[in-house]
Amino acid sequence: MGRSHYFCAMQKDTLVFDLLRKELDRQRHGIELIASENFTSLQVIQAMGSVATNKYAEGYPGKRYYGGCEVIDEIETLAIERLKKVFNASWANVQPHSGAQANSAVFLACLKPGDKILGLDLSMGGHLTHGSPANISGKYYQALHYGVKKDTGIVDYDQLEQIALAEKPKMIICGASAYSRDWDYARIRAVADKIGALVMADIAHPAGLIAKGLLNDPFDHCHIVTSTTHKTLRGPRGGIIMLRHDFENPWGLKDPKGNTRTMSQLLDLAVFPGAQGGPLEHVIAAKAIAFGEILTDEFTAYGKNVINNAQAMAKAMVNRGYNLISNGTDNHLMLIDLRNKNLTGKKAQETLDKAHITLNKNAVPFDDKSPFVTSGIRIGVPAITSRGMNEAHMETVAGFIDKVLTKIDDEATIAGVKNDVNTFMKQFPLYPELG
C-alpha cells in the first residue's frame, strides 16, 4: 500500500479531537483572566498546524545543516525582519522554543557557571528564570535578588543599586511575572554601567504594549531584550531574543573555537547549537504572522484597550475592597492580596474555576503562605480584550469575581455565577470559523 493510501486509510483519532473540541468549548464559555494567556488570530493557529511542521532546519537562513530549506529560509527571514521592525531592533533570533529557552541562551552566551546575576525575587513578582533556586538560572549561576518596597509595592531601585555595587554581578535582569508597574530601565542601566554589568530585559509580559510605545522602551538602556511571543504580543507560544544595538562583547568572550565574536553572533551560537537543535518552523511561521499583525493600527488600538481595561478592572476591584499591590496598574495585569478577605489564592483560584472564571493563585510580596497556597491572585486582561471587551465590561467581570469570593463556600452562588458567565460570554464569539 502506498504512503498516500496509507494516510487516507488511517482512522481519525476521535478521542484527541473530541478533547480539543472540549477545550475550544471551555475557552468559548469562560472568562480568561490568566495574565500569561491570550487568543491568537485564526491565521496563527492555521500556520502552527501547517506543513512547515514537517521540515527539519537546524541552523539559520542560508546556513542550514539540511537540504530543502529554501522556502523555510524565506519564512524565518520574514519573521526576523518583521520582528526587527516591530521593536526597531537591528538583530533578532526567532528560534527559542520559549521565553525560558531564550533566557537560558542569553546566560549561556554571556556568563560562565558560577557568575553572579541579579534579578527580581520570585516571591516579589519575579520570574522563575531570573535566578530561582529551582531553575537552571539559580543552579548554574550565583543568583542575587532585589525586591519591592513594602509600603508601595514598587521595585526598590535603591536596594538594587546597593546589592549591585556590593556584589558586582555580571548581569542585572529586569522584568517580572507578576508586577503591574512600568520599569525605570535608564536607572538600572546607570547602575550597571558603574560596575560594568550587562543588562537583560525580559519583557515577556508587557512586550505588546512596549511594541506600540505605550510603556517605557527598554532597548536603548538594556543590552539584550528577551520575550515570549504570546501574552500581550498575541502570537504563538514561543520565545525571541533581540538587540537594538549590536556590540563587541565586553569581556572578550569567545566562541567554542576561540574566536572573538559580537554579541549577536554569540547569541545565535547560544541558541543553536548551544541550547537547542532543530527550530520549530511551523511556530516561526506563526510568529511571522503575529509580528505582521502587531505592525497594524488595529494592534495599536488593542494595546490601548488592554491598558484601559486593566485600569478599569483595578478600579472596580479596589471599589469592592480588594487590596491591589502598588494600588493599581500601568500594564495589563494586577496582583491582589486576599488576606484582608481571609482567603488564600489557592482557594480563590479553585472556586473561581467552578464558575468558569480562570485566573491563577500568586504569591504577593512578603507573603506568609507557601507558593502552593499563596495569599494572592493575579488578574490579566489581554485575553478578554481580544474577545472584544471594553472598560464597561470590566465592572461586570469584577462583579462576578466578587460574588464568588464573597460567598466562596456557597455552591448555589457559584453555580449561578457560572450560568451568568456562560450567558455573558455569548456576546463575544471565539473562532466562529471553527464551527
Side-chain angles (χ1 to χ4, degrees):
M1 179 181 291
R3 293 288 292 175
S4 61
H5 294 294
Y6 171 75
F7 283 122
C8 289
M10 287 180 67
Q11 185 176 2
K12 183 178 179 181
D13 194 330
T14 56
L15 179 58
V16 172
F17 284 105
D18 285 348
L19 290 171
L20 289 171
R21 168 59 65 178
K22 287 177 67 175
E23 174 59 17
L24 175 58
D25 288 343
R26 186 197 68 81
Q27 292 181 18
R28 283 174 168 171
H29 297 152
I31 296 176
E32 182 53 72
L33 297 174
I34 293 177
S36 305
E37 295 190 11
N38 210 330
F39 297 112
T40 73
S41 69
L42 187 61
Q43 288 187 109
V44 168
I45 291 174
Q46 290 168 333
M48 289 192 70
S50 71
V51 294
T53 194
N54 297 329
K55 190 69 193 87
Y56 222 99
E58 284 187 351
Y60 291 101
K63 298 179 181 179
R64 303 288 189 182
Y65 286 80
Y66 293 91
C69 291
E70 58 272 14
V71 178
I72 291 298
D73 282 0
E74 290 189 56
I75 292 171
E76 186 167 333
T77 299
L78 181 61
I80 291 168
E81 293 305 314
R82 284 181 174 178
L83 178 59
K84 287 161 58 176
K85 190 172 181 181
V86 165
F87 287 105
N88 188 25
S90 66
W91 171 90
N93 188 307
V94 298
Q95 291 194 6
H97 301 332
S98 67
Q101 290 286 91
N103 289 348
S104 291
V106 172
F107 299 153
L108 184 61
C110 301
L111 304 170
K112 296 178 181 179
D115 279 349
K116 294 179 181 179
I117 59 175
L118 175 59
L120 181 62
D121 195 296
L122 180 66
S123 68
M124 300 283 177
H127 192 260
L128 186 72
T129 60
H130 299 174
S132 166
N135 184 259
I136 189 172
S137 59
K139 293 179 182 291
Y140 277 33
Y141 309 102
Q142 186 177 342
L144 310 166
H145 295 100
Y146 56 93
V148 301
K149 293 184 177 181
K150 194 168 187 176
D151 57 338
T152 65
I154 303 294
V155 165
D156 191 337
Y157 293 101
D158 293 332
Q159 182 191 46
L160 183 156
E161 182 168 11
Q162 291 168 4
I163 296 172
L165 295 179
E167 298 288 346
K168 295 180 173 56
K170 288 287 185 68
M171 179 179 288
I172 299 175
I173 305 164
C174 51
S177 178
Y179 184 65
S180 64
R181 295 302 184 177
D182 206 350
W183 285 78
D184 189 345
Y185 301 110
R187 181 168 183 188
I188 294 171
R189 175 60 181 268
V191 172
D193 284 347
K194 292 180 181 179
I195 58 172
L198 288 172
V199 182
M200 183 189 89
D202 179 347
I203 62 170
H205 269 273
L209 308 178
I210 291 169
K212 306 311 289 191
L214 302 173
L215 292 173
N216 291 335
D217 183 350
F219 280 85
D220 279 329
H221 306 292
C222 303
H223 297 90
I224 304 167
V225 178
T226 67
S227 182
T228 56
T229 48
H230 40 291
K231 303 186 177 81
T232 54
L233 284 179
R234 205 162 64 178
R237 304 188 68 83
I240 47 178
I241 308 172
M242 298 165 286
L243 302 173
R244 177 161 293 163
H245 310 288
D246 200 3
F247 56 96
E248 297 294 330
N249 67 79
W251 304 303
L253 294 170
K254 300 180 185 297
D255 68 15
K257 293 184 178 180
N259 300 311
T260 300
R261 302 280 191 163
T262 64
M263 186 51 64
S264 65
Q265 291 170 328
L266 287 174
L267 289 167
D268 271 340
L269 289 167
V271 175
F272 174 82
Q276 296 182 175
L280 308 178
E281 291 295 345
H282 57 302
V283 179
I284 290 173
K287 289 177 182 179
I289 289 173
F291 302 152
E293 293 170 351
I294 294 162
L295 290 168
T296 65
D297 291 339
E298 288 83 359
F299 198 91
T300 303
Y302 167 73
K304 292 177 180 178
N305 289 339
V306 166
I307 292 176
N308 291 339
N309 283 348
Q311 293 179 348
M313 176 74 78
K315 181 179 179 181
M317 296 303 289
V318 168
N319 288 344
R320 288 169 170 80
Y322 290 88
N323 178 19
L324 270 63
I325 302 301
S326 84
N327 296 316
T329 181
D330 296 324
N331 56 30
H332 62 297
L333 64 81
M334 63 214 70
L335 189 58
I336 299 177
D337 188 336
L338 293 173
R339 284 177 287 194
N340 71 324
K341 299 287 187 177
N342 295 314
L343 295 172
T344 67
K346 184 175 186 290
K347 177 73 169 178
Q349 174 187 309
E350 291 176 348
T351 308
L352 287 164
D353 258 347
K354 297 177 183 178
H356 290 184
I357 300 170
T358 309
L359 46 70
N360 64 282
K361 63 180 180 291
N362 212 101
V364 296
F366 310 99
D367 208 327
D368 57 0
K369 296 180 179 64
S370 82
F372 300 101
V373 177
T374 78
S375 295
I377 54 175
R378 185 183 64 165
I379 293 177
V381 301
I384 58 175
T385 305
S386 291
R387 294 285 297 266
M389 292 192 199
N390 58 36
E391 295 170 70
H393 297 122
M394 298 304 104
E395 181 68 29
T396 301
V397 174
F400 289 149
I401 296 170
D402 183 54
K403 192 170 184 178
V404 171
L405 297 185
T406 300
K407 295 187 177 181
I408 200 161
D409 294 313
D410 186 336
E411 293 298 331
T413 295
I414 296 165
V417 172
K418 181 185 77 170
N419 290 334
D420 290 343
V421 165
N422 295 162
T423 300
F424 176 68
M425 293 309 294
K426 288 179 181 178
Q427 64 187 298
F428 308 106
L430 180 65
Y431 306 128
E433 304 92 339
L434 298 180

